[in-house]
Amino acid sequence: MLRCRSRQWHFALLTVIVTLLLFTSVCHADSDDQKNDQTAIPLTLETVVVVPPSLWTPIEDVSEDEVPTMALTPAPALEPPPLKNITLMLDWYLSPQHAALVVAKERGYYAAQGLEVDIQSPADPSIAIKLLTAGEVDLALTRQPLLHLYAHEGAPFIRIATLIETALTAVVVMGPEQLDNAKNLAGLHYGYTTREGLNLSIPRLVPRSVQQTDDFSAPQNLHFDPTRALREGQADAVADGFFHYLPPQLATEGITTHLIRFEELDIPRHDGLVVLANSDSVVRRADTWSRFTTAIEEASNWIVENHDAAWALLTATHPVLDNDINAAAWQDILRRMALSPAAVDSHRYTAFETYLLQMGLIDDTLPLSRLAVDPHVL
């Protein structure tokens, strides 16, 4: 009986094995048929390709957290580098002759050069030079003759740019011009506001022989208020008055004046308005001054090409400039503006040194490099 059951178990096992072999054979046959079909039919754009789910995850199955955020959010903008701050002290109150400085600020020429320029007005013109000497400001404005005189006294500053290429001052004389004007000028009582008038103009107007007489009146310091001095009769003439502004101001009060230009006194031509920097640090800060003068040049050329728009910008930014006297002076100032502020007229500076030596105002001449530089070539 046990032998009979053993035969039945072997028979059942054999049946299962045969069945599995047949099933496997059928599966391989189907697979070969599919391969043959794929080999026989080429793929086209319309062919449906079935990708096994294990190799591809539908888009709808991907969570939002798995999407890279940098692909959706742009990178934050880089912040511009901080601007370098510069303080500039004017030679006197703001006027149209300072147009390039204002326009460079308002039109963003300073910012384009990485600069922030703080323009300040002094309580009186002498303060600008003093603050620059003390290192309280970075830049200051003055006139070329004053630069020479102060440099010979050892003042530590040097010209790095020119704003106005011709003199802005002249001898302003009360009353109309007379036939024997030279003799009349020698007997006048003169006032002055700076050393330019005291040391340069008056010696050319009043001969030494006249200065040695008993009735000679010594020149008077007008303390930067020539209008009041002439109005009140403290002086007959101002040796260094701004001819764009002083005569028109006096004319509104019924006071007639006439001008004696410096050229008529054989005073060499010179820059009417220059920018000074500290001579001890000019080389170290050459890049900064180069960028500053580049901004000034951009402004000056824009003003000349757009003088009406420039005037509108000046008066809109600084309404105090909007008056008849400034408006009348605007066209003449345009003709005097330096279009290449950094450039140095070497002959002009050396000729002025020679003139001072001949006048006995200096003992020896200074080299050009001590007086003026082009910051672009430092």
Side-chain angles (χ1 to χ4, degrees):
M1 183 175 178
L2 291 175
R3 184 175 298 175
C4 181
R5 288 184 178 179
S6 176
R7 290 176 179 175
Q8 291 178 355
W9 183 83
H10 282 289
F11 179 78
L13 179 60
L14 180 62
T15 302
V16 171
I17 292 173
V18 171
T19 302
L20 290 174
L21 290 174
L22 289 175
F23 179 79
T24 302
S25 177
V26 171
C27 289
H28 280 291
D30 291 341
S31 176
D32 291 337
D33 291 341
Q34 290 179 3
K35 291 180 180 180
N36 293 334
D37 292 342
Q38 292 175 0
T39 303
I41 302 175
L43 293 175
T44 65
L45 295 176
E46 289 76 17
T47 302
V48 178
V49 178
V50 180
V51 181
S54 60
L55 300 179
W56 176 259
T57 302
I59 295 178
E60 58 270 17
D61 292 341
V62 179
S63 65
E64 293 182 358
D65 294 337
E66 296 175 348
V67 179
T69 57
M70 291 302 295
L72 300 178
T73 306
L78 296 176
E79 294 185 2
L83 300 179
K84 181 183 291 293
N85 294 319
I86 295 175
T87 54
L88 182 148
M89 182 69 72
L90 300 179
D91 54 322
W92 197 208
Y93 53 82
L94 187 67
S95 67
Q97 66 195 41
H98 305 125
L101 300 173
V102 176
V103 168
K105 185 179 185 69
E106 297 303 321
R107 287 187 57 81
Y109 297 137
Y110 291 140
Q113 296 297 324
L115 304 175
E116 176 66 35
V117 180
D118 180 22
I119 302 174
Q120 303 175 2
S121 295
D124 68 66
S126 65
I127 291 181
I129 296 298
K130 294 176 181 178
L131 292 179
L132 179 61
T133 302
E136 297 296 327
V137 296
D138 300 302
L139 301 172
L141 302 188
T142 193
R143 304 193 283 274
Q144 182 187 337
L146 296 176
L147 162 62
H148 288 265
L149 295 174
Y150 283 115
H152 277 277
E153 295 177 352
F157 47 69
I158 191 169
R159 172 263 182 216
I160 63 165
T162 297
L163 297 181
I164 303 295
E165 292 184 326
T166 60
L168 294 173
T169 56
V171 182
V172 180
V173 184
M174 294 272 285
E177 186 174 357
Q178 300 182 17
L179 293 178
D180 193 4
N181 206 40
K183 182 178 180 180
N184 176 64
L185 292 174
L188 297 179
H189 181 208
Y190 288 94
Y192 64 92
T193 59
T194 68
R195 294 177 60 184
E196 179 185 29
L198 177 63
N199 298 135
L200 299 180
S201 302
I202 295 176
R204 303 296 295 183
L205 292 162
V206 184
R208 184 177 297 274
S209 59
V210 175
Q211 296 183 31
Q212 295 174 346
T213 61
D214 294 335
D215 58 349
F216 172 70
S217 298
Q220 181 177 348
N221 188 342
L222 304 182
H223 302 289
F224 311 107
D225 194 1
T227 304
R228 180 185 58 81
L230 294 182
R231 182 196 306 123
E232 297 179 0
Q234 296 180 10
D236 302 317
V238 178
D240 50 2
F242 283 100
F243 57 78
H244 285 118
Y245 313 113
L246 183 56
Q249 288 175 349
L250 294 172
T252 61
E253 302 179 22
I255 301 175
T256 303
T257 59
H258 69 279
L259 298 178
I260 307 296
R261 304 281 185 173
F262 287 159
E263 292 84 356
E264 301 176 49
L265 301 176
D266 295 326
I267 297 176
R269 296 185 184 276
H270 53 271
D271 293 343
L273 190 63
V274 296
V275 183
L276 304 182
N278 190 294
S279 56
D280 296 333
S281 61
V282 66
V283 175
R284 176 171 53 84
R285 305 187 69 179
D287 177 66
T288 299
W289 304 147
S290 176
R291 288 185 280 128
F292 172 81
T293 53
T294 296
I296 296 301
E297 181 172 343
E298 290 286 340
S300 299
N301 282 269
W302 183 84
I303 291 171
V304 171
E305 296 294 338
N306 306 273
H307 47 86
D308 290 337
W311 179 249
L313 177 60
L314 287 175
T315 54
T317 307
H318 300 280
V320 68
L321 298 178
D322 192 8
N323 56 63
D324 294 338
I325 293 177
N326 286 336
W330 179 237
Q331 292 300 321
D332 189 56
I333 289 176
L334 287 174
R335 293 190 289 267
R336 302 171 184 271
M337 291 183 60
L339 299 183
S340 298
V344 179
D345 188 334
S346 59
H347 173 73
R348 175 171 290 192
Y349 282 80
T350 55
F352 208 90
E353 280 287 290
T354 301
Y355 173 76
L356 295 177
L357 183 63
Q358 294 172 348
M359 290 287 293
L361 295 173
I362 59 176
D363 297 327
D364 197 5
T365 59
L366 291 174
L368 175 63
S369 59
R370 177 60 183 85
L371 299 167
V373 294
D374 181 343
H376 296 321
V377 299
L378 289 177

